[in-house]
Amino acid sequence: MSKQKFKTEVSQLLNLLIHSLYSHSEIFLRELVSNSSDALDKLKYLSLTDDSLKKIEFTPRIDIRIQEAGEGTLLVEDNGIGMNKEELADSLGTIARSGTKNFLETLSGDAKKDSNLIGKFGVGFYSCFMVADKVEVISRKAGEDDAWKWTSSGSTGFSIEAAERAAQGTTVILHLNETGKEYSSQWKVRSIIKKYSDHIAFPIHLHWEQSTGSGEEKKTEQKDEQVNAASALWKRPKTEITDEEYSEFYKTIGHDSEEPMLRIHTQAEGVLEYTTLFFVPKTAPMDMYQADYTPGVKLYVKRVFITDDEKELMPVWLRFIRGIIDSEDLPLNVSREILQQNKILANIRDASVKKLLAEFKKLSENEEKYAEFTAQYNRPLKEGLYSDWNNRDEILPLVRYKSTAVEGWTSLASYKARMPEEQKSIYYLTGDREEGLRKSPLLSAYTAKGYEVLLMDDDIDEFVTPMIGPFEGKDFKAINRSGAIDDLKTDDDKKKENEAEPVVEKIKTILGDTVKDVVASVRLTEAPSCLLADEGAPSEHLRQMLKAMGQAELPEAAFILEINPDHPVVQGLKNSSDEDLDSDIAHLLYEQALLVEGVSLKDPLEFASRINRVAAKAY
Ligand code: ADP
């Protein structure tokens, strides 16, 4: 028998669990039953589709046995797909779930005590070490002859040895510890199964020993009873399903311990017959921003599980949705390749997206509740704006923005309702921090006119907003681009700008190629200068973001320098004939604008010398 060590993250997780989840120890049973249910789902599917497994005689079931009630051993047994030697080592010796490791690394301090957070990533199998000081797993993989026994007492590692098992499946044997003793009571176990696993689609049989009489008369009888309803919850009439049942169903399939934020149960009958039961988690899934996120929607055909690993079931931007799709029309032996281009599935998917959008819209009528949704899912919605063009008109009203006019969030509809009549476009400013955006010198020209500016500090706003197209006839215009300001100019302003032509020319000559262009603009009220990105060019923020993401570097953008013809420094420059001073001032107008944009100077020493030369002349 070879002894193997746990991967470090498993040891960490075990420690965490043992210290933080004790008050919730009963969830171990939910986790084991849901593993068994998954194993049965998988074998049921393979026994229909895989020739080598078709001969397996198989009535799926889960058995829970309370043995030697006094000493306390609890067995959870299934006749599902099973695991071979390698799978036992891999599945139970490492944390398979993506994101778990990162999550563990980021957990610190109080977060470690938060069982909700821990429940988020499905502690799964390891939760049994809360109630057992030794765990054995005997498993035989479907289609293989050998069985194996995995043994561990939790803290250090595990060992695997050859074992016996009459048929395929898995038995988990828990040697209950002090905390776990209570789970040798059939009443306790029965009530937990009812609470957590009633909706499991396979029969769960409870076996226990019942003693009658005492002393010499004492008789012990073996009892056995099916304790769950064993019908697919989503197929039952909606009116007969309680909130608790929905909630427990969600927790099992969503690997979550929180209540869901929203549930959407659709039983469609018509051209296509299918059932969907979707949930929006209260907290966005941990791996939502990882490329290898785990898809949250399972596909069933006529109640037979087909796959839980198919990203095509939902558009990527809806990857936070948890739930099931059960189709009556797909063939049972549908292969993955067929799935991906299947018309029926595509139709179900489109209808599901529409349904979800309609529900989000309903939710948005309750401002308080919708703020919670926005806090978690605003960003995926924005992704939907560019990746799901067909639904753009439904998604756009659901997205929320920060704005100069309000605290918290605003919808575009409320923005538009607040617009003065003469306002031509929807103005926005992108950047990486809200506080920075609120202080931007670019805002004053708009706010002075009573025009509101949307403040977009989400890194994808920069990509997405220019692609949105108009909202109810109003275009979006970025105020750090050269185009937006034209909206604001009066004839008077244009005159003023024309008058600034000589000083503009003067600065252009001094700065030469350093800038793309110099323009005068009345939009600046306090600052003497600022930088503009060319209408079509990437802004400095985007350039730095792409660089940080390791993307190919964009060519350094040459900026348009905008000057404020009313500012005393610009006025001074206009009237001066001191060539050295003029050169310093022109460069300083440019360099301070760079600094305000958060761009580091190429030659800080030269900048300092300029400041000092100018300052010396002030005396
Ligand atoms: P999760 O179920 O969240 O993936 P677990 O820690 O509960 O995480 O289980 C890890 C893996 O071990 C499962 O994904 C599965 O591959 C395997 N496994 C666990 N229990 C069983 C079982 N009863 N039958 C077959 N495989 C199982």
Side-chain angles (χ1 to χ4, degrees):
M1 191 187 349
S2 62
K3 182 114 181 129
Q4 299 183 45
K5 277 184 143 177
F6 281 127
K7 294 264 160 83
T8 25
E9 65 265 24
V10 175
S11 303
Q12 279 176 339
L13 178 58
L14 280 171
N15 244 325
L16 233 149
L17 271 173
I18 287 168
H19 292 108
S20 49
L21 268 182
Y22 260 133
S23 55
H24 295 71
S25 65
E26 66 182 34
I27 61 153
F28 83 92
L29 200 53
R30 172 180 81 195
E31 301 296 322
L32 293 182
V33 169
S34 101
N35 281 347
S36 286
S37 170
D38 289 348
L40 293 168
D41 268 340
K42 282 183 189 141
L43 183 56
K44 204 166 164 197
Y45 172 63
L46 289 174
S47 67
L48 292 166
T49 54
D50 187 325
D51 284 339
S52 64
L53 295 176
K54 274 185 180 155
K55 58 183 184 301
I56 291 186
E57 275 189 39
F58 164 61
T59 313
R61 60 183 274 163
I62 299 170
D63 289 276
I64 299 182
R65 298 173 200 277
I66 301 172
Q67 283 184 347
E68 307 158 44
E71 281 176 39
T73 313
L74 189 68
L75 282 77
V76 178
E77 201 166 274
D78 63 68
N79 56 351
I81 183 80
M83 288 172 275
N84 60 24
K85 192 179 179 189
E86 289 70 40
E87 287 166 337
L88 275 169
D90 286 350
S91 305
L92 305 183
T94 52
I95 298 171
R97 287 191 160 265
S98 62
T100 307
K101 193 164 167 239
N102 292 349
F103 174 61
L104 279 174
E105 281 162 5
T106 54
L107 264 192
S108 63
D110 281 351
K112 291 199 171 164
K113 298 197 194 83
D114 187 341
S115 60
N116 275 341
L117 265 181
I118 293 167
K120 278 257 46 105
F121 62 94
V123 284
F125 173 77
Y126 299 99
S127 55
C128 47
F129 287 105
M130 292 187 295
V131 298
D133 43 29
K134 182 169 142 195
V135 178
E136 292 161 295
V137 181
I138 300 171
S139 197
R140 178 170 155 192
K141 180 148 187 168
E144 296 185 13
D145 294 329
D146 299 328
W148 299 93
K149 179 161 92 174
W150 179 100
T151 311
S152 171
S153 49
S155 49
T156 50
F158 60 90
S159 56
I160 296 181
E161 62 194 302
E164 293 291 322
R165 202 177 194 287
Q168 90 290 338
T170 302
T171 307
V172 178
I173 306 168
L174 305 176
H175 298 269
L176 300 172
N177 62 17
E178 253 334 285
T179 321
K181 277 227 162 75
E182 56 177 321
Y183 304 107
S184 54
S185 145
Q186 64 118 338
W187 298 111
K188 180 82 188 171
V189 174
R190 181 188 293 262
S191 72
I192 302 173
I193 298 170
K194 272 277 168 210
K195 178 169 165 197
Y196 291 123
S197 309
D198 205 28
H199 63 270
I200 295 282
F202 306 105
I204 303 176
H205 293 266
L206 181 64
H207 307 253
W208 72 100
E209 294 160 349
Q210 187 159 308
S211 303
T212 46
S214 58
E216 302 260 305
E217 305 280 288
K218 185 170 172 177
K219 274 203 244 143
T220 305
E221 234 185 303
Q222 298 291 333
K223 293 275 202 175
D224 168 359
E225 195 180 300
Q226 182 176 330
V227 285
N228 68 329
S231 67
L233 174 108
W234 59 88
K235 280 289 174 188
R236 285 163 46 196
K238 285 199 248 178
T239 46
E240 286 174 20
I241 308 173
T242 64
D243 287 348
E244 286 73 31
E245 286 174 311
Y246 273 123
S247 163
E248 287 314 327
F249 178 75
Y250 165 68
K251 287 177 187 174
T252 315
I253 61 150
H255 292 271
D256 195 355
S257 53
E258 288 183 311
E259 299 296 319
M261 189 187 290
L262 202 65
R263 78 162 182 256
I264 302 118
H265 191 179
T266 312
Q267 292 166 326
E269 284 165 353
V271 188
L272 283 183
E273 207 179 316
Y274 64 88
T275 304
T276 55
L277 175 52
F278 295 130
F279 299 89
V280 175
K282 189 171 257 166
T283 316
M286 285 298 165
D287 61 359
M288 189 163 78
Y289 294 118
Q290 291 175 1
D292 62 346
Y293 70 91
T294 316
V297 175
K298 297 186 183 203
L299 177 69
Y300 288 78
V301 171
K302 300 185 189 74
R303 279 165 303 298
V304 177
F305 167 84
I306 305 293
T307 176
D308 57 4
D309 187 25
E310 180 48 75
K311 291 188 173 165
E312 301 285 319
L313 295 177
M314 275 283 137
V316 177
W317 71 273
L318 280 170
R319 61 193 176 277
F320 55 88
I321 297 294
R322 299 290 177 255
I324 62 97
I325 295 175
D326 186 358
S327 161
E328 297 294 319
D329 307 305
L330 285 168
L332 269 175
N333 58 356
V334 60
S335 74
R336 177 153 288 194
E337 294 68 41
I338 291 175
L339 266 187
Q340 293 184 346
Q341 24 168 304
N342 185 280
K343 268 235 165 73
I344 297 172
L345 201 59
N347 287 337
I348 296 178
R349 177 178 129 138
D350 290 349
S352 298
V353 173
K354 294 256 184 273
K355 177 81 190 161
L356 286 167
L357 283 166
E359 291 295 323
F360 297 165
K361 187 175 173 205
K362 256 191 232 160
L363 186 70
S364 74
E365 285 156 20
N366 179 332
E367 213 169 289
E368 203 176 310
K369 281 211 174 131
Y370 198 68
E372 285 171 30
F373 180 85
T374 302
Q376 300 296 326
Y377 304 115
N378 204 31
R379 179 176 158 141
L381 285 184
K382 289 177 187 168
E383 291 176 29
L385 281 180
Y386 74 80
S387 60
D388 194 352
W389 190 248
N390 288 339
N391 289 306
R392 170 207 171 270
D393 288 349
E394 281 72 40
I395 302 173
L396 193 52
L398 296 169
V399 177
R400 295 290 177 267
Y401 293 104
K402 292 170 189 151
S403 158
T404 49
V406 290
E407 280 189 22
W409 302 103
T410 182
S411 67
L412 291 171
S414 343
Y415 176 100
K416 192 159 171 261
R418 286 188 297 265
M419 272 169 70
E421 211 172 311
E422 78 282 2
Q423 185 177 331
K424 291 189 185 131
S425 318
I426 296 173
Y427 301 110
Y428 71 94
L429 180 60
T430 51
D432 56 0
R433 279 177 320 118
E434 185 187 343
E435 310 93 86
L437 292 176
R438 286 204 184 272
K439 289 186 199 135
S440 164
L442 295 173
L443 295 175
S444 56
Y446 297 82
T447 49
K449 282 189 147 40
Y451 297 172
E452 181 175 341
V453 179
L454 297 175
L455 303 171
M456 303 194 181
D457 59 355
D458 208 343
D459 52 11
I460 68 166
D461 289 325
E462 191 112 28
F463 298 106
V464 175
T465 323
M467 291 194 264
I468 295 179
F471 173 76
E472 295 181 2
K474 299 284 178 191
D475 283 325
F476 284 80
K477 285 197 179 166
I479 66 165
N480 55 352
R481 305 265 156 157
S482 48
I485 193 66
D486 293 337
D487 282 4
L488 301 192
K489 289 178 188 162
T490 61
D491 289 346
D492 232 23
D493 295 337
K494 286 182 188 147
K495 194 167 147 234
K496 227 186 234 170
E497 287 174 13
N498 283 340
E499 283 166 12
E501 213 34 51
V503 68
V504 164
E505 282 308 315
K506 193 170 190 178
I507 299 171
K508 258 191 215 170
T509 318
I510 296 170
L511 294 180
D513 284 347
T514 322
V515 291
K516 190 162 180 235
D517 200 2
V518 181
V519 294
S521 168
V522 289
R523 79 159 126 191
L524 294 170
T525 50
E526 275 157 38
S529 61
C530 73
L531 294 181
L532 288 179
D534 208 2
E535 186 79 21
S539 73
E540 185 54 25
H541 174 230
L542 178 60
R543 226 175 57 79
Q544 293 194 346
M545 205 175 87
L546 289 176
K547 195 171 160 195
M549 280 160 56
Q551 301 281 345
E553 224 174 293
L554 293 174
E556 214 165 289
F559 292 104
I560 298 172
L561 177 69
E562 184 172 305
I563 54 154
N564 173 0
D566 288 335
H567 196 280
V569 173
V570 178
Q571 295 277 340
L573 182 58
K574 184 173 159 192
N575 303 324
S576 140
S577 52
D578 176 342
E579 268 179 36
D580 292 341
L581 181 63
D582 291 356
S583 164
D584 280 340
I585 293 288
H587 280 101
L588 284 174
L589 284 173
Y590 173 62
E591 285 160 345
Q592 63 173 293
L594 279 176
L595 289 173
V596 169
E597 271 284 303
V599 184
S600 43
L601 298 177
K602 284 222 184 75
D603 193 348
L605 267 182
E606 185 50 35
F607 172 72
S609 327
R610 270 196 253 288
I611 296 247
N612 290 328
R613 280 197 297 270
V614 173
K617 290 196 179 164
Y619 287 109

